Amino acid sequence: MQRIIIVLLALTIETSSFIHPTTTNQKFLKRNNNFLKQSSKKTTAVDNKRKVNEELELKGEKPYVGNDGQTEKEFSPRKFTASVQKMKQAGLNTKADVTQLFKLWEENKVHFNVIHYAAVFTTVASADPHLLESSNNAVSLRLLVEDIVCKLSQSPEFFHARELAMIIYSVGRMQINNRIFFNSIASPPYRDKLTKEGDAHSISNIAWACSRVGYFSEELFECIDESAAKIVNQYAINEGTTQSISLTLKAFASLGYQGEKLFNVVEKHANEISANCTDLHLSNIAWSFQKFGKDFPFKDYENKQQLLNFNVMRISPEKMSNHISYLKRTNNVEGVLNLFKYYGANMNHIHYSNIFGCLVKNYNTDEGRTVDLVSDERFLALLDSTFERWNAYKYTDKVPWFDARSMATIIYSLGKMRIKEMRFFDHVSNNRTSQMLLEAQDSQAIANIVWACAKVNYYNSTLLCNIASHGAEISVQGGSQALSNIIHGFVKLSHIDHRLLDSVADQFPRLVTTGDDPFGLASLFTSFSISGSTRGAEILTAVAEKGSPDLIEKLKSSSEQLVANIIWSSSVYGVCAGKKSTMSTKLISEIWNRIVDDDLNRYSFAIDGYRQLNHFFVAATIEKGDRMLKRPGVKLSRKLSEAAFLEASKKNSKQKMHVSNMLVDRCGIANVENNVQADGVGIDIAILDLKVAVEVQTKFQYHKVFCDESGRYELRDKGQIVAKKRLLRALGWKVLCVDYAKFVTIANNGRGSEAQVEFLKDELIRTTRERRRRRK
């Protein structure tokens, strides 16, 4: 019985296997394949870990142990990408944040894929540009770009279109004009991958980045043109697509590439684009067509001319300031002028001052002025509207429409553009407005106004006397830069008021100990030296005695013009005269010796700079300067000699020739020469037999020195003229000064040239007698 049961069971099993062979085999094969795949993956992972650890051991680094007991490098791709994205969202607000990101890249770049590189590049590009200017971050950024360039040259399969386009966009955003990088992008493997696999957004990013750095490749842009046209034809036109079309066409127009295929497709789909496009992008498209002389593509658009000239058609007043700032960053003067043209009625005083600030930035670009403002109707309308509101009041008669800071910004802008609109300057100078500005106690606003007046040579003694009378309040509030601009403006206008100078000089210790602005301090020192005030030397003493090591080092390693100004100003005050050594003398000696040791390897001065250095060296030689001063090297000596020769060979003015001819022809003086160099010091007219130096002084050699608000003043020599006379007397010359304005007045009093002859003879006798008295 048992045998029968066993046989029946065996038959049953055999029969079931016979009935379902296919199902059983499929299940078995599926299980077997899954097992093989898992084994293969595990083997590959172990091999990869082993390779990584071998690389780490070769570098002398210790491998890590994972959770499974296997040695592996602690690197999680997702975790790294998430940490970079978190840094981007939080914002790179300090240099330390940027440094931390570069450190993450340095430590993990062995394991990077293209996604990680794209994340790092986009995050770095989102940082404020000044954070990348520090030496360490700048080097790290250069190494990061070189790393990606190396990858491009070695591993084309490493990159995907989308991530590579993000990297290109980031490089363009940071304006890194690396030709090797962009040439690699334009080479066949990459340009084909980018344009065939990339979407509309990626393609527009590539075109925009190239236009940003001014890079153009005919082959690359042909591929972009063809791909962009296909995308417009094949895919639905929405806001994202039109944005990409706008950026691509604008890049074409900026680089002068007339991509016929994309232009033709846009013309074909003009109605669809117009219906799905914002006015900003619509205007970019219209501008690109206009740039190449093509017909306006949007036939049914109502405000054709308005669209061509203006970037944003429907801008809310709340976003006005942001848009003006954007136009300022992009140097879009046309956009700014049209913005005022269409929306000026909705603007407030801040918008007006921002518009003038934007115009100033464009007016001073090295690439040239895109708009001739003086003859532009929109700018003239802006001036009229500004002045109309300048005289208006809001709420009550006691509250002007413009505040002090906005007024000062507009005046400063006019001064920087050298536009002498008298109505604005006259209005600022009247008692009511100037009193409002002074009551605000805004030293920067006062500095802007004074600086602008000096720039356009607008002189109003009432305004300057009012400012000087409030010198104490202004000086306490102001920083070194603002105060230097105020003093510079006064000096430039030849208006000296010791109330203001003394108030600013009292603040020297504060400015030195609380600030680190070498430019402002050096400008103050120079302006004081020209003013003739004896207190200017105090700022050099304050810097030498109380300045921080960092501030002193900044002064020593400043720009060529700044160093030349400091050196020259010290010669005006005779800082290095005599053998007595002070901290000020040591500071100037160190600056001079650094220039001498360099011998024009790093420094490269303008001709005025060499002239200033020559004056210092001559003064130090004549006045037996500090023994620590070194003699110039070969290159510097040659440049100083050239500067002295050019100064000696300058043309004779009419005033000099008039006085010189009068001395020779009418006074009978022999051996008279013009433009003589006496041991490096220039003399206008030299009477060699008597060793008399005749200096013909015009109004440009004098300052008006005011003592109070009465308006009375005295004419006194400028600082450099005083120093020149001091050096000539040290060389044994007798100095005769001829005030040419007074000299002409003598002849106009009715006696003619005879009075001038008598004047010269009397002055010669007086000068020679004074010299004899000094000897006795």
Side-chain angles (χ1 to χ4, degrees):
M1 189 68 181
Q2 289 178 349
R3 290 180 180 177
I4 295 170
I5 293 170
I6 291 170
V7 171
L8 289 173
L9 286 171
L11 289 172
T12 305
I13 293 170
E14 187 177 352
T15 306
S16 63
S17 299
F18 177 77
I19 295 171
H20 306 288
T22 307
T23 307
T24 306
N25 289 339
Q26 284 177 347
K27 288 181 180 179
F28 173 77
L29 290 173
K30 189 174 182 180
R31 284 196 214 100
N32 190 36
N33 286 337
N34 288 338
F35 173 77
L36 290 174
K37 285 180 182 179
Q38 290 173 3
S39 301
S40 175
K41 285 181 180 179
K42 189 170 183 180
T43 305
T44 306
V46 171
D47 290 341
N48 288 339
K49 292 172 186 176
R50 191 178 294 111
K51 287 179 182 178
V52 169
N53 283 296
E54 286 174 0
E55 292 178 4
L56 292 172
E57 288 173 3
L58 288 173
K59 293 180 180 180
E61 297 182 18
K62 185 178 179 181
Y64 294 89
V65 180
N67 295 329
D68 57 354
Q70 298 285 345
T71 56
E72 62 174 339
K73 176 71 177 173
E74 273 189 349
F75 177 80
S76 170
R78 291 184 179 179
K79 187 177 179 182
F80 176 82
T81 306
S83 64
V84 173
Q85 290 296 334
K86 188 176 179 181
M87 292 178 72
K88 184 177 181 180
Q89 290 170 3
L92 301 179
N93 300 316
T94 63
K95 292 179 181 179
D97 293 340
V98 179
T99 305
Q100 179 64 26
L101 178 61
F102 282 129
K103 187 178 179 182
L104 281 174
W105 161 70
E106 284 281 355
E107 293 174 350
N108 301 288
K109 62 182 180 181
V110 177
H111 312 281
F112 268 24
N113 58 34
V114 69
I115 298 173
H116 301 136
Y117 274 103
V120 170
F121 267 96
T122 53
T123 306
V124 172
S126 68
D128 198 302
H130 81 272
L131 299 177
L132 302 172
E133 292 174 359
S134 67
S135 56
N136 292 336
N137 289 341
V139 171
S140 298
L141 179 60
R142 178 174 57 79
L143 293 175
L144 175 62
V145 175
E146 289 177 358
D147 188 18
I148 206 70
V149 168
C150 183
K151 292 278 185 187
L152 286 167
S153 62
Q154 296 176 356
S155 310
E157 68 282 355
F158 180 79
F159 294 93
H160 305 299
R162 182 174 177 273
E163 287 76 16
L164 182 55
M166 291 169 66
I167 295 172
I168 297 168
Y169 169 81
S170 302
V171 171
R173 186 176 177 182
M174 292 184 285
Q175 292 185 315
I176 301 173
N177 192 1
N178 189 311
R179 291 287 160 173
I180 301 176
F181 173 81
F182 282 98
N183 286 336
S184 300
I185 298 304
S187 62
Y190 293 109
R191 71 168 183 251
D192 294 340
K193 177 179 292 189
L194 287 166
T195 54
K196 290 178 181 177
E197 299 176 13
D199 57 9
H201 184 64
S202 298
I203 290 172
S204 65
N205 280 347
I206 298 164
W208 179 87
C210 291
S211 67
R212 183 79 170 166
V213 300
Y215 177 82
F216 178 74
S217 165
E218 185 81 27
E219 295 81 6
L220 174 62
F221 273 79
E222 282 180 1
C223 292
I224 292 174
D225 182 30
E226 184 176 353
S227 298
K230 283 183 180 178
I231 288 171
V232 177
N233 271 327
Q234 294 175 3
Y235 295 96
I237 295 175
N238 52 37
E239 189 172 338
T241 312
T242 54
Q243 178 183 354
S244 301
I245 295 169
S246 163
L247 293 176
T248 307
L249 284 178
K250 191 172 182 180
F252 283 5
S254 299
L255 294 171
Y257 176 73
Q258 192 169 346
E260 291 295 340
K261 293 180 181 178
L262 183 56
F263 276 103
N264 292 338
V265 169
V266 170
E267 250 183 318
K268 179 180 176 182
H269 298 277
N271 292 334
E272 296 174 67
I273 293 172
S274 178
N276 293 277
C277 194
T278 64
D279 287 327
L280 173 61
H281 300 128
L282 206 59
S283 64
N284 286 338
I285 296 171
W287 175 78
S288 304
F289 272 77
Q290 189 186 41
K291 186 79 181 282
F292 293 113
K294 295 178 177 291
D295 293 334
F296 187 73
F298 310 113
K299 309 295 183 183
D300 300 330
Y301 201 87
E302 295 177 0
N303 300 316
K304 171 183 174 181
Q305 194 57 41
Q306 191 174 359
L307 178 63
L308 287 171
N309 293 332
F310 181 46
N311 277 343
V312 177
M313 302 298 300
R314 293 184 292 271
I315 183 170
S316 63
E318 294 78 13
K319 296 182 179 179
M320 192 81 72
S321 295
N322 291 337
H323 187 57
I324 294 172
S325 299
Y326 168 75
L327 295 172
K328 183 177 181 180
R329 289 196 304 271
T330 56
N331 287 335
N332 193 338
V333 177
E334 284 284 346
V336 169
L337 291 175
N338 284 311
L339 182 66
F340 166 76
K341 180 178 179 181
Y342 298 115
Y343 290 95
N346 299 327
M347 291 183 178
N348 58 32
H349 61 284
I350 297 174
H351 300 145
Y352 272 79
S353 60
N354 287 344
I355 283 178
F356 275 93
C358 178
L359 296 176
V360 164
K361 185 180 178 184
N362 168 266
Y363 211 71
N364 291 276
T365 53
D366 296 332
E367 299 174 359
R369 297 166 185 170
T370 56
V371 178
D372 185 8
L373 294 179
V374 179
S375 60
D376 192 282
E377 293 182 0
R378 295 164 298 178
F379 179 69
L380 297 177
L382 172 64
L383 289 177
D384 292 338
S385 176
T386 305
F387 190 71
E388 181 181 347
R389 297 194 176 195
W390 200 286
N391 292 288
Y393 294 88
K394 55 184 178 180
Y395 309 129
T396 65
D397 287 344
K398 295 182 180 179
V399 183
W401 200 81
F402 278 100
D403 60 7
R405 178 59 68 91
S406 299
M407 281 186 175
T409 302
I410 293 171
I411 289 292
Y412 171 82
S413 302
L414 292 173
K416 198 159 188 179
M417 293 186 288
R418 306 290 180 92
I419 298 174
K420 193 173 182 179
E421 277 286 324
M422 294 296 294
R423 50 183 172 169
F424 287 92
F425 289 94
D426 288 340
H427 192 278
V428 167
S429 301
N430 70 45
N431 288 330
R432 185 173 182 178
T433 306
S434 61
Q435 196 63 33
M436 182 194 76
L437 293 168
L438 293 169
E439 286 174 358
Q441 294 187 359
D442 189 339
S443 58
Q444 188 58 57
I446 298 296
N448 286 345
I449 290 171
V450 175
W451 184 90
C453 290
K455 204 72 174 175
V456 299
N457 198 26
Y458 174 84
Y459 179 73
N460 186 292
S461 60
T462 304
L463 172 65
L464 299 181
C465 285
N466 284 339
I467 292 172
S469 66
H470 291 74
E473 296 91 340
I474 295 170
S475 302
V476 171
Q477 298 291 333
S480 58
Q481 187 61 58
L483 295 179
S484 68
N485 283 344
I486 293 173
I487 301 298
H488 170 77
F490 271 74
V491 169
K492 195 80 173 175
L493 295 169
S494 299
H495 183 108
I496 302 302
D497 197 311
H498 286 287
R499 293 173 297 172
L500 176 64
L501 292 174
D502 291 341
S503 298
V504 174
D506 292 339
Q507 300 298 318
F508 286 164
R510 175 182 69 83
L511 296 174
V512 170
T513 54
T514 61
D516 60 347
D517 179 16
F519 181 81
L521 294 172
S523 299
L524 265 178
F525 184 42
T526 304
S527 299
F528 264 83
S529 66
I530 297 172
S531 72
S533 171
T534 56
R535 298 198 63 180
E538 293 179 17
I539 192 168
L540 193 63
T541 304
V543 170
E545 295 179 354
K546 300 180 180 180
S548 65
D550 185 43
L551 174 61
I552 293 174
E553 183 57 33
K554 283 181 179 179
L555 278 173
K556 291 178 182 178
S557 57
S558 297
S559 64
E560 288 86 345
Q561 186 58 52
L562 205 63
V563 169
N565 285 343
I566 296 170
I567 290 290
W568 176 82
S569 301
S570 65
S571 69
V572 171
Y573 283 113
V575 172
C576 291
K579 298 180 181 180
K580 184 179 179 181
S581 181
T582 63
M583 294 187 71
S584 302
T585 306
K586 291 179 182 178
L587 175 60
I588 295 299
S589 298
E590 289 174 6
I591 295 175
W592 169 260
N593 291 341
R594 183 174 291 196
I595 297 171
V596 171
D597 292 339
D598 178 74
D599 201 22
L600 304 185
N601 290 322
R602 183 176 72 87
Y603 289 107
S604 179
F605 297 91
I607 187 62
D608 283 341
Y610 289 117
R611 179 179 56 80
Q612 290 174 317
L613 295 178
N614 183 59
H615 283 184
F616 169 81
F617 183 64
V618 167
T621 304
I622 293 171
E623 298 181 321
K624 299 178 181 179
D626 187 11
R627 294 178 181 177
M628 294 172 62
L629 292 174
K630 296 181 180 179
R631 297 191 64 82
V634 177
K635 295 179 183 178
L636 183 58
S637 295
R638 188 184 302 118
K639 288 293 184 180
L640 296 182
S641 301
E642 290 175 4
F645 174 77
L646 289 173
E647 189 170 6
S649 59
K650 60 185 178 183
K651 293 182 179 179
N652 290 314
S653 63
K654 293 180 181 180
Q655 295 89 340
K656 286 183 189 177
M657 292 302 299
H658 184 196
V659 175
S660 177
N661 293 336
M662 191 72 71
L663 286 169
V664 174
D665 299 336
R666 303 296 299 276
C667 298
I669 306 296
N671 207 1
V672 176
E673 291 186 14
N674 297 343
N675 291 333
V676 174
Q677 287 287 314
D679 293 334
V681 183
I683 300 175
D684 290 346
I685 303 168
I687 304 175
L688 301 178
D689 293 341
L690 302 175
K691 205 171 184 181
V692 173
V694 181
E695 292 296 307
V696 181
Q697 294 187 207
T698 62
K699 63 179 181 179
F700 301 107
Q701 277 82 41
Y702 293 109
H703 283 311
K704 294 178 182 178
V705 180
F706 291 78
C707 300
D708 51 36
E709 297 179 3
S710 62
R712 291 175 297 179
Y713 62 87
E714 297 176 2
L715 288 178
R716 294 183 188 173
D717 293 337
K718 291 185 176 180
Q720 60 267 40
I721 304 301
V722 174
K724 181 179 180 181
K725 292 177 181 178
R726 186 183 73 237
L727 293 176
L728 287 172
R729 291 190 179 103
L731 289 169
W733 286 80
K734 300 174 280 292
V735 181
L736 167 60
C737 295
V738 178
D739 183 350
Y740 192 75
K742 185 178 179 181
F743 189 67
V744 172
T745 304
I746 293 172
N748 294 337
N749 285 338
R751 297 178 57 197
S753 60
E754 293 296 331
Q756 292 177 328
V757 172
E758 290 180 12
F759 169 79
L760 289 175
K761 287 181 178 179
D762 292 342
E763 289 296 313
L764 277 172
I765 293 170
R766 183 183 60 79
T767 304
T768 53
R769 283 178 180 173
E770 283 182 1
R771 183 63 180 170
R772 288 172 189 168
R773 287 173 190 165
R774 286 178 185 172
R775 285 181 179 176
K776 291 179 181 180

